Amino acid sequence: MRLPELCLALLCAAGTGTEAPRAARERPLAPEHGELGAARVDPRQAWMLLAGSPGRNSGERGRGGSGALTAPAGPGTPGKSTAGAGAGPAVPEELLRELQLLLRGTAKMCRTAGEGSKEEESSGGSAQRRVEAAFHCQTRADLAVEQKTWLELGQFYIPEREEMFQRGPGLNLTSGQYTAPLAGFYTFSSTLHIARREPRRKRQGCRGSRLRVLICVQSCCQHNSHLESVSQLESSGELFTISVTGTLYLQAGQHASVFVDNTAGSPLTVQSGSDFSAVLLGV
């Protein structure tokens, strides 16, 4: 028998008194004055038989082999054995309080065991929470970023492999804009592979030349919240990588996209295979 069923059986037997414990039913009480023991006993008597504990006030112990209960000594009836369907034993209040505490603890243990089994069932995968909005895409071709220009990246696609995915609406692969289907917090990430388009000997060194990559809301990086990463081009080689990641809050219907700000004196190329991704964290 499992633990919740055992606890339920104990609660029913001790609380309602409609069904006596098995030990009490199979072992009749000792007869008194020629009367046979009752087929059904009081729940208190059943509890005393199961517990087998001595009375707190009488100092005597009810033994299971005798089949008789010894009530605590009282005025005029010291150590009197009781049985039959007549009067029930005078159970001390302390023993009743212990019984109540035990029953409360048993019920709590049953509830805890039941909740634990439900958590195990849900952790098995049948009740996993579904991510409502997410995507991971890559640029299809090389994108030229001329010197001193600002470009919004587009021309993305979903490669047919496990690392790339799209769930939920809102992604425009052509424009590169992702429109939030739900208001909430989104984590965005973009990694761009950048190549210089001019040989090193023809480049004009310009102090302060840098490349900025931004993820902006509503294509307004100056006014709205955005994510930004900056790379100094003087220390960069022919090919380098720059990444930006973070969390933005989008209202339903707002869009986010990737921008490249080339402040250098030479053109650059965002190579194919650069990626853009987002996941809805919560509302």
Side-chain angles (χ1 to χ4, degrees):
M1 181 179 293
R2 293 177 295 180
L3 181 58
E5 298 176 356
L6 180 59
C7 297
L8 181 61
L10 180 58
L11 288 173
C12 293
T16 62
T18 58
E19 185 69 17
R22 181 177 179 181
R25 294 198 310 268
E26 294 180 355
R27 183 186 304 157
L29 297 178
E32 182 180 3
H33 303 293
E35 296 180 359
L36 295 178
R40 293 187 179 182
V41 298
D42 188 270
R44 297 179 178 178
Q45 297 177 357
W47 166 248
M48 293 183 66
L49 284 175
L50 291 174
S53 58
R56 300 292 181 177
N57 300 326
S58 64
E60 298 181 1
R61 183 181 183 87
R63 305 186 179 276
S66 62
L69 296 177
T70 303
T77 57
K80 181 180 179 181
S81 297
T82 60
V91 181
E93 295 297 329
E94 183 178 356
L95 184 58
L96 289 178
R97 287 194 297 269
E98 291 182 2
L99 174 58
Q100 294 174 356
L101 292 176
L102 178 61
L103 293 178
R104 292 194 192 103
T106 305
K108 183 177 180 181
M109 184 170 58
C110 292
R111 289 195 300 269
T112 304
E115 293 174 357
S117 61
K118 291 180 180 178
E119 292 179 358
E120 291 178 358
E121 292 177 359
S122 61
S123 63
S126 59
Q128 293 290 342
R129 184 176 179 182
R130 178 181 174 86
V131 176
E132 298 296 336
F135 72 89
H136 189 188
C137 58
Q138 288 184 339
T139 52
R140 184 182 298 275
D142 294 348
L143 301 174
V145 185
E146 301 300 330
Q147 56 193 22
K148 308 296 182 180
T149 59
W150 177 275
L151 176 67
E152 183 178 18
L153 299 186
Q155 302 301 319
F156 290 93
Y157 79 113
I158 307 292
E160 295 181 356
R161 57 182 183 178
E162 294 181 0
E163 290 81 3
M164 303 297 160
F165 55 87
Q166 180 181 0
R167 176 174 292 178
L171 178 61
N172 189 323
L173 294 173
T174 302
S175 65
Q177 295 180 352
Y178 176 68
T179 303
L182 300 171
F185 294 92
Y186 293 78
T187 177
F188 288 94
S189 178
S190 180
T191 300
L192 305 183
H193 307 291
I194 308 297
R196 295 178 183 267
R197 293 168 53 189
E198 290 185 355
R200 181 181 294 273
R201 63 179 179 274
K202 292 185 179 181
R203 293 182 204 137
Q204 297 178 355
C206 181
R207 184 178 298 275
S209 295
R210 62 180 185 173
L211 175 69
R212 293 198 306 158
V213 177
L214 307 96
I215 300 178
C216 305
V217 178
Q218 295 295 96
S219 302
C220 297
C221 300
Q222 292 82 4
H223 305 288
N224 295 335
S225 59
H226 62 274
L227 307 173
E228 180 178 350
S229 180
V230 181
S231 176
Q232 297 294 330
L233 298 182
E234 291 84 0
S235 60
S236 303
E238 297 291 334
L239 179 64
F240 61 96
T241 300
I242 181 171
S243 299
V244 58
T245 185
T247 302
L248 294 172
Y249 183 84
L250 273 67
Q251 296 288 348
Q254 289 185 328
H255 70 265
S257 54
V258 182
F259 284 84
V260 176
D261 181 18
N262 182 13
T263 63
S266 61
L268 302 173
T269 298
V270 179
Q271 293 187 328
S272 61
S274 300
D275 63 76
F276 179 36
S277 63
V279 176
L280 173 61
L281 297 179
V283 295

